[in-house]
Amino acid sequence: MNPMTPIQPMPFEALTPDAYRQLKHAASLKGLLKPFKGKGELEHLAQVAREIEAQLCRLMEAVVQQAGEPPYSLLKIRLVLQKTSAGSTFLRWRTRDFSRMGVAVWECQISNKALPQIVREELHRFECARIALNLQMSVVHSLYRQAMTCAIKMASAEQLLRHFTPAVEKTR
């Protein structure tokens, strides 16, 4: 089938308020903006960030699945999940043959004058979702890394304090 054949695309719905409802409850900043009493609280924050990353990944997978349906599957581009060496996942545009990657691939496709306007608009919605999800993943992954780093530093500080605390005070 020719990608320019008029096919009514399925409306993009992966990022509805319902999709974010579970994330909204877990991702409160009030848990971040408080005095942390020890490494355990920071490890808990890191764990919550990891759980949110997993939920974001599921949203990304839903977007990739929708972008893999006709008529988008007939185009020369793909929206794919890419794992990074740091352990997070991002959405990337790639050519069908995987020879090129990035927003330039999307720009080339969307500027194709033969592309039906409705498909162009849906590709725009996919791109906006990709940008937002990548931002969210980046922020949450950074929070995870920072929380883990701080937990390690707190544990080290606590260990050093114990090392230099006189034996008499240790029994109190």
Side-chain angles (χ1 to χ4, degrees):
M1 182 179 268
N2 182 339
M4 302 311 136
T5 304
I7 295 176
Q8 198 64 5
M10 292 293 294
F12 173 65
E13 296 181 8
L15 302 180
T16 63
D18 285 342
Y20 275 98
R21 187 161 286 132
Q22 191 174 11
L23 279 171
K24 205 184 297 183
H25 295 296
S28 170
L29 283 180
K30 69 181 178 184
L32 172 64
L33 304 175
K34 68 177 187 173
F36 290 98
K37 296 178 181 153
K39 74 173 186 154
E41 289 182 354
L42 287 163
E43 289 170 340
H44 176 72
L45 178 62
Q47 177 188 349
V48 169
R50 272 294 193 216
E51 291 166 4
I52 294 169
E53 277 186 315
Q55 291 171 345
L56 283 170
C57 202
R58 286 192 289 278
L59 286 178
M60 289 176 164
E61 289 167 355
V63 172
V64 166
Q65 183 177 353
Q66 284 192 26
E69 298 290 324
Y72 319 111
S73 61
L74 304 173
L75 300 174
K76 295 179 181 180
I77 63 172
R78 298 281 177 267
L79 190 58
V80 297
L81 291 170
Q82 181 185 30
K83 281 251 185 220
T84 67
S85 59
S88 55
T89 303
F90 291 99
L91 288 167
R92 302 281 189 246
W93 290 108
R94 298 201 77 153
T95 56
R96 188 182 294 189
D97 65 2
F98 283 77
S99 64
R100 293 179 46 225
M101 179 176 70
V103 73
V105 171
W106 174 83
E107 289 170 348
C108 183
Q109 183 67 65
I110 205 145
S111 64
N112 180 347
K113 293 185 188 316
L115 193 68
Q117 184 61 27
I118 191 162
V119 174
R120 184 177 285 112
E121 289 169 6
E122 289 298 313
L123 285 175
H124 173 261
R125 292 179 70 196
F126 281 120
E127 174 61 358
C128 290
R130 184 193 72 79
I131 291 166
L133 284 166
N134 284 352
L135 162 76
Q136 291 163 335
M137 181 62 81
S138 180
V139 168
V140 171
H141 188 73
S142 179
L143 178 60
Y144 164 77
R145 282 192 341 262
Q146 291 293 327
M148 286 305 295
T149 298
C150 288
I152 290 166
K153 289 177 181 179
M154 274 197 184
S156 178
E158 189 176 308
Q159 186 177 21
L160 191 60
L161 175 65
R162 273 195 240 123
H163 179 74
F164 288 104
T165 301
V168 176
E169 288 187 22
K170 287 183 184 177
T171 58
R172 277 200 244 170

